[in-house]
Amino acid sequence: LLDYARLGSQPLETSRVSMHAVLRDALQLISAQIEDTGAEVVVREPLPGVEGDRRLLTQVVMNLISNGIK
């Protein structure tokens, strides 16, 4: 949440965002945690496009996956 709060202090840059790309980025950023724990992340396609800030969405997805692994 602290990382999310830090991002929240920056101006939002909203645009149409591919959630597939957000998920791909998030998985890449926490790939070491996934490998270390032997977790399996299953993605059900297709993922929708959304309107939002890509940085914040990536951080939220990373946090959700990380919390699920814990």
Side-chain angles (χ1 to χ4, degrees), residues 31-41 69:
S31 62
Q33 181 185 13
I34 293 169
E35 289 176 24
D36 290 346
T37 60
E40 179 182 357
V41 178
I69 290 171

Side-chain angles (χ1 to χ4, degrees), residues 1-4 19 22-23 26-27 29-30 33-34 37 39-42 47 55-70:
L1 288 175
L2 185 57
D3 291 336
Y4 181 76
M19 286 306 293
V22 166
L23 179 60
L27 290 173
L29 290 167
I30 61 170
Q33 181 185 13
I34 293 169
T37 60
E40 179 182 357
V41 178
V42 177
L47 298 175
R55 294 170 302 132
L56 291 176
L57 289 168
T58 301
Q59 185 64 51
V60 167
V61 171
M62 282 175 38
N63 289 353
L64 288 170
I65 296 169
S66 182
N67 289 343
I69 290 171
K70 292 176 189 171

Side-chain angles (χ1 to χ4, degrees), residues 16-23 44-51 57:
R16 190 75 179 159
V17 178
S18 162
M19 286 306 293
H20 180 75
V22 166
L23 179 60
R44 304 230 190 271
E45 300 272 345
L47 298 175
V50 298
E51 189 75 23
L57 289 168

